[in-house]
Amino acid sequence: HNITAIGRLRGPMEGAISEMKTLSASISRENPKAAGWRADVMPLLEFIVSRDLRNRLLLLFGAVGLTLLLACSNVASLLLARSSARQKEIAIRISLGATRARLAAQLLTESLLLALLGGAAGLILAYWLIEAAPSILPASAVPAGTQILLNANVVLFALAISLATGFLFGLAPAIAAP
């Protein structure tokens, strides 16, 4: 037999745990058939998302973070390599009278556009993978009653990372210009 009850505690968790132990011992003494029964108290989040799932999610979060770092470093190296190949063009533009501000604006516009397109492609890929997740993941991998979705925080984070990468590595060539 398994009974799950959800309640809201007024006092500290330790008090509820000791009360449940006392109650379990009392029930076991009064009813010998209930000798193996016990009552546990745990936070709702821990009940819904087990420690095993939490560890999996943290591992997945770490893998995604490292993949994002790798992708950003690849984009950065490509932008820097492209800018070093354009040094001759930048020098010609400066000699023809282009100001540093105009060059910086052009380089930033190009890199921000590339970064935003990359971020949008990443969000589209994430959306497709989330749609495919229920057929890929086992049923026990996702807690009952939960949904995997892209919310505003995820979209804003992707936008911020894309803009920061584009700005940082689009500004580097403008600063390094002769």
Side-chain angles (χ1 to χ4, degrees):
H1 300 289
N2 187 10
I3 298 173
T4 302
I6 298 174
R8 189 171 203 171
L9 292 177
R10 288 191 182 180
M13 183 105 122
E14 294 78 21
I17 291 172
S18 66
E19 283 184 42
M20 286 297 128
K21 285 183 181 179
T22 305
L23 184 62
S24 294
S26 170
I27 290 173
S28 295
R29 278 192 305 271
E30 293 175 12
N31 188 355
K33 292 181 180 177
W37 292 13
R38 68 173 206 262
D40 292 326
V41 177
M42 67 177 65
L44 182 61
L45 181 63
E46 187 177 318
F47 176 72
I48 292 173
V49 181
S50 67
R51 289 182 196 265
D52 184 43
L53 182 60
R54 180 173 290 170
N55 290 339
R56 287 182 193 174
L57 289 175
L58 287 174
L59 183 64
L60 180 64
F61 179 71
V64 167
L66 288 175
T67 304
L68 179 65
L69 181 64
L70 183 64
C72 286
S73 67
N74 283 341
V75 168
S77 65
L78 287 173
L79 286 173
L80 290 175
R82 193 177 115 226
S83 72
S84 68
R86 293 179 72 185
Q87 287 298 324
K88 194 175 192 179
E89 174 197 344
I90 291 172
I92 291 171
R93 286 177 185 261
I94 289 175
S95 67
L96 290 175
T99 63
R100 280 192 173 281
R102 178 72 181 130
L103 277 175
Q106 177 189 348
L107 294 172
L108 276 176
T109 303
E110 291 173 4
S111 66
L112 286 175
L113 181 63
L114 284 173
L116 286 176
L117 287 173
L123 283 173
I124 290 169
L125 180 64
Y127 178 77
W128 286 342
L129 289 174
I130 287 172
E131 291 296 315
S135 62
I136 296 171
L137 296 174
S140 62
V142 181
T146 59
Q147 291 180 327
I148 303 173
L149 48 90
L150 288 176
N151 62 12
N153 291 335
V154 173
V155 173
L156 289 175
F157 178 76
L159 178 68
I161 290 293
S162 297
L163 286 175
T165 303
F167 184 78
L168 181 67
F169 294 103
L171 195 59
I175 292 172

